[in-house]
């Protein structure tokens, strides 16, 4: 983890344009704010590209996409590509229905992603591998690194496979991260918000492997910190405390420093 | 309450397909996850039926329905009927506007519900009885059991009328439940999430009266437990702790067992 | 602050019809409920006007508006005007894209607002003044009172400019409020929910300056109270406690009275 990346995000307050799913918008926006960036979620084709031109990164997540939403996603992604800002694509549940699979194909045919991020089932589906899924969740197992490398080559992009161990593929290099907690899977949008935190980190001038590793490691540490707090008794109190943790310094999450009172 | 139903849900992790309203999606998804099931909310006509084919139950809730959403609700409901999985319909605020009333009629003309669930005003409206409503809330009073029986016969379905006393009608039999707390009415989606918890319970192989009674009794106990926690001071802290409670065993909610720390 | 206005809201439970943005719907609905009013969010053109006819105030917020949403906003606003109930317009991020600016123009050409409420950048844009914005946030500075007066005259409306100091313009008179906390800017919908609280206060029979001052002062006090609680450690726990605070009496927020346990 490169903590300077987090500091830069908090100094620059990058504007992250989200084309994302309905159920998790509120949580993702709050997590983006907590981390120190600025979310905007202008989903209309009438302004998606204009908003991307103002932004520092574009995040496309197909969680509850309908056919009529795809043109705005493509327009925002292309505007991001033209501006030269990072564009992250999250192919949520792409194996669950033919429509989802085709929606991702349509987007990736026109938008060049800086990063494709998904769970193992989603990345495996993009790689053309068989994988067991349930709704929008991955429940199968197989060689995740192979899947990531195939997708990285096929789409000429960095790839992040989120899971118990996160796998990051940049070119032919593989990096892994083991911070995190299964409680993130008990909160809707745990994966979606990670995509937004990645976008925030991608907006700095550091190397992409440092940016992605910082995002996943910090995110996992925040979950570990939240679960370790005495007042957290389940997914509801976890969610509130996890948002708190995203606003803290890495040193606090790692137990190297005490959290200062905000009540003074 | 049959606690084995809850155990089965947590072992099988049923996939509940939600066609539901925008303001409460996040809360409903989080409550479904907390309870132990898996929510998906694919609202597009392009995949609503395909997603239902993968699911263990279908939940149709018209809280913020627009005309263009109705075909996807019908497609998902029909796919659920064909697969033989439970389909629950919640006619939110059907008496508030002619459009809502007609939307419910259109859905129920094509979809065979396993359960219709609503507040007293909604069920009374379906029964053709006069009832006072305010927006999407019921404020009138009358004979709830009669209303439930009329709706059960008219639509050949089980009926749940949620309220201070929940009334369940299966065939000609009436069951009631008195767990719960008025704080559930201070959180948006308190009724919507109950529909999803019912769907989870309906996915087991038990009798429908046991499934519905278990859902409403457990849900009410979770609310009572949350309100009784010292750190709960109002609707915001209630909501977080209620989600925690939904993830616990019934024995903990009833005070028969201590909650184990999740922080170990 | 006129605490009787808050008491009247809690006695009358006004129905506030929201035509609002997707990411903050859940938070706004919960805040409206916590404060003591009743939210409804019927966004469809098929019922927006009918729902407004049942309501006590109409709130139009363009946060994630698409072209197809505008007719429903106009229909609800006009129905509110015809019924003689307060109509509040929040031109969220109107300077961010041409589409937003035009959307607001279209709405204000047909709907007569009782109040226009925005941040400094939004009000300045309506006034035709140059102002620096970032996404949907205002980051510039200038003479806010002048901007408010220009907008009040141009649209024959009261104006509220929310910010560190809130500025209220009624006719040619200016009122200000200094309660509040920067944590409100770390939670998505902090401004949106204020609009809804204003609508609740506007539903009483008091003078508009008292209604608006009561709303902004109470809202700011609730934020101050939440931040001062020991268990609030960041934006996530703040959000839950802020919702609690919105349900309390002003005397508690001001420290003049203890909060009674809800656990009895």
């Amino acid at each position: 983890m490169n903590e300077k990346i987090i500091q830069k995000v908090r100094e620059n307050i990058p504007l992250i344009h989200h084309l994302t799913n309905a159920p998790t918008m509120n949580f993702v926006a709050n997590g983006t704010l907590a981390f120190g960036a600025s979310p905007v979620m202008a989903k209309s084709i009438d302004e998606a590209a204009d908003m991307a031109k103002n932004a520092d990164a574009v995040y496309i997540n197909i969680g509850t996409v309908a056919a009529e939403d795809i043109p705005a996603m493509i327009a925002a992604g292309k505007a991001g590509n033209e501006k030269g800002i990072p564009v992250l694509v999250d192919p949520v549940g792409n194996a669950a229905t033919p429509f989802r699979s085709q929606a991702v194909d349509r987007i990736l045919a026109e938008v060049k992603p800086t990063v494709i991020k998904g769970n193992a089932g989603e990345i495996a589906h993009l790689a053309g591998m068989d994988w067991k899924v349930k709704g929008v969740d991955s429940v199968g197992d197989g060689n995740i690194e192979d899947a990531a490398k195939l997708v990285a080559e096929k789409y000429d992009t960095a790839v992040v496979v989120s899971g118990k161990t996160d796998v990051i593929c940049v070119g032919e290099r593989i990096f892994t991260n083991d911070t995190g907690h299964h409680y993130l899977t008990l909160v809707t949008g745990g994966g979606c918000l990670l995509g937004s935190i990645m976008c925030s980190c991608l907006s700095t001038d550091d190397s992409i492997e440092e940016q992605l590793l910082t995002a996943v490691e910090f995110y996992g540490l925040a979950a570990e910190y939240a679960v370790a707090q005495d007042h957290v008794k389940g997914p509801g109190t976890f969610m509130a405390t996890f948002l708190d943790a995203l606003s803290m310094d890495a040193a606090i999450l790692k137990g190297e420093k005490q959290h200062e009172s905000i009540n003074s």
Side-chain angles (χ1 to χ4, degrees), chain A residues 7 72 90 95 141 144 149 234:
Chain A
Q7 286 168 26
D90 190 337
D141 58 64
I144 292 171
K149 282 181 180 172

Side-chain angles (χ1 to χ4, degrees), chain A residues 108-129:
Chain A
L108 291 178
E110 299 203 50
V111 175
K112 170 81 178 62
T114 311
V115 178
I116 295 177
K117 176 222 150 257
N119 62 31
E122 290 153 2
I123 299 300
H125 184 77
L126 274 182
M129 295 162 72

Side-chain angles (χ1 to χ4, degrees), chain A residues 21 32 38 46 59 101 107 114 140 144 176 195 218 222 249 251 254:
Chain A
N21 66 78
T32 305
S38 178
D46 300 298
Y59 178 25
S101 190
I107 293 165
T114 311
I144 292 171
T176 62
F218 182 86
D249 290 343
K254 291 189 277 190

